[in-house]
Amino acid sequence: MIALTRDVSPALGRCELTHLARTVIDVDRARAQHAAYEDALRALGCHVERLAAGDEMPDSVFIEDTALVLEEAAVITRPGALSRQGEVEATMLALQPYRPLIQIEPPGTVDGGDILVVGRSIFVGLSARTDAAGVAQLREAAERLGYQVRTVEVAGCLHLKSAVTALDDETVLIQPAWLSPDAFAGFERVAVAPSEPSAANVLRVGARLLAAAAFPRTADLIVERGFDLSTVDVSELAKAEGAVTCCSLVFDDATTGVAAVRGA
Ligand code: CIR
C-alpha cells in the first residue's frame, strides 16, 4: 500500500477554520506529530511517499481533500475553500504514475474529506465545501466505474468524514449529532462515545485502523468489537481542524485497474 502525505506548511497557522477558534499552532510540534503519523502508517504496512510542503498553502498537509483514489482511477477534486484550490497540482503529479486521472471542473467543488468509500458504495457529504455541481461530476465519474453514489447531508461539522468513517465494509463509526444515521441503514452503526464528539474520524489501512489518541473511550468501543486499532497524537493538527484521515491518501499500487480503464 502507498500512503501519499504532504509535509506541514510553515504557513499552517493561517489555515482555514470553520468550527474552531484560532489558537496558536506550534508548527514544529505539528511536524513532529505528522512524522509520527507517517511512522504509524509504515507500521501498518504503507510505503509513505511525502510531497514537499506548499509554503504558501497553509492547509496542504491535509492532502486527503485533494483527491479520491479508487482502484480504477483517481478523481482530482476542486476544494471548496478558495485558499486550497492550488493544492491539487502536486497531488495530480504524484498520482499520475498510479492511476488515470479524472478532474472535477469549475464551478463544482468537492473536498476529499466529504467522500467515504465503503466497498462499491461512495457516500458524499453535502457540506460547506462540497456542492451539488461537484457531486454531479463525481457521481458521473464514479457510476461509470461501477460505484453506487449516495449523498448525505451533514451539519455541525466540516466534512462527512468528521461525522462518519468505516471500520470495515459492514460497520460504520458515526456521530449521530451531525448526520442522520438512517443514511447508513443496512450497516452496523457504532456511535462515538458521547464525551468525544469528534471521534468518528478513523483511518482504515487494509484491515487495520488508526485513530487519534484524543478519543480513548471511543477507541475502547472499537477495540471491544474486535478491531485492530492503533492511535497517534495529532492534537496540534487538530487545532487546524485536521484529523487522521485527512493527512494521507492511502491506496494500493497494483496497476490492474489502470489497464482496465485505459482499455489496454
Ligand atoms: C480546512 O478547513 O480545510 C482545514 N483547516 C482542515 C481540513 C481537514 N480535512 C479533512 O478533514 N479532510
Side-chain angles (χ1 to χ4, degrees):
M1 255 168 314
I2 294 182
L4 211 59
T5 64
R6 193 158 185 188
D7 208 355
V8 175
S9 170
L12 179 64
R14 288 188 272 120
C15 63
E16 294 284 336
L17 285 176
T18 309
H19 295 281
L20 292 185
R22 194 168 297 279
T23 50
V24 175
I25 299 179
D26 180 335
V27 174
D28 287 337
R29 187 158 184 261
R31 285 217 174 95
Q33 290 181 352
H34 186 249
Y37 169 86
E38 291 175 330
D39 284 343
L41 291 175
R42 287 185 193 97
L44 295 174
C46 294
H47 170 77
V48 175
E49 205 177 303
R50 183 201 286 180
L51 309 188
D55 284 352
E56 289 304 318
M57 298 177 192
D59 284 304
S60 49
V61 63
F62 304 123
I63 191 168
E64 167 185 65
D65 291 319
T66 60
L68 162 68
V69 187
L70 298 169
E71 224 176 278
E72 303 85 351
V75 179
I76 304 299
T77 66
R78 183 166 178 270
L82 202 60
S83 71
R84 302 201 56 192
Q85 289 181 349
E87 293 176 25
V88 297
E89 202 177 316
T91 305
M92 202 153 49
L93 290 173
L95 288 176
Q96 221 153 28
Y98 298 109
R99 296 290 192 274
L101 303 182
I102 299 166
Q103 212 154 350
I104 300 294
E105 305 286 351
T109 63
V110 176
D111 272 18
D114 277 317
I115 309 171
L116 174 65
V117 182
V118 196
R120 301 300 293 182
S121 295
I122 300 183
F123 294 89
V124 189
L126 279 170
S127 71
R129 299 287 176 84
T130 297
D131 66 10
V135 173
Q137 292 178 47
L138 180 62
R139 181 188 298 281
E140 214 261 335
E143 287 183 349
R144 211 167 352 107
L145 297 172
Y147 291 86
Q148 187 187 51
V149 177
R150 296 184 234 176
T151 53
V152 184
E153 302 272 348
V154 291
C157 60
L158 182 59
H159 287 129
L160 175 71
K161 276 187 280 191
S162 321
V164 61
T165 52
L167 300 180
D168 62 17
D169 280 349
E170 290 80 40
T171 316
V172 290
L173 177 67
I174 200 160
Q175 165 49 287
W178 294 339
L179 50 67
S180 166
D182 294 347
F184 294 87
F187 286 87
E188 180 76 20
R189 287 163 285 183
V190 181
V192 296
S195 57
E196 298 174 347
S198 302
N201 187 269
V202 169
L203 177 65
R204 230 177 129 181
V205 182
R208 298 164 75 187
L209 302 169
L210 182 65
F215 310 117
R217 291 186 181 82
T218 303
D220 285 347
L221 296 174
I222 296 170
V223 171
E224 273 164 23
R225 288 175 176 260
F227 290 100
D228 176 341
L229 180 86
S230 354
T231 59
V232 64
D233 178 8
V234 287
S235 51
E236 210 59 32
L237 294 160
K239 293 180 183 172
E241 296 188 9
V244 284
T245 64
C246 50
C247 295
S248 60
L249 287 165
V250 176
F251 55 91
D252 227 303
D253 61 355
T255 50
T256 48
V258 175
V261 168
R262 286 182 178 153

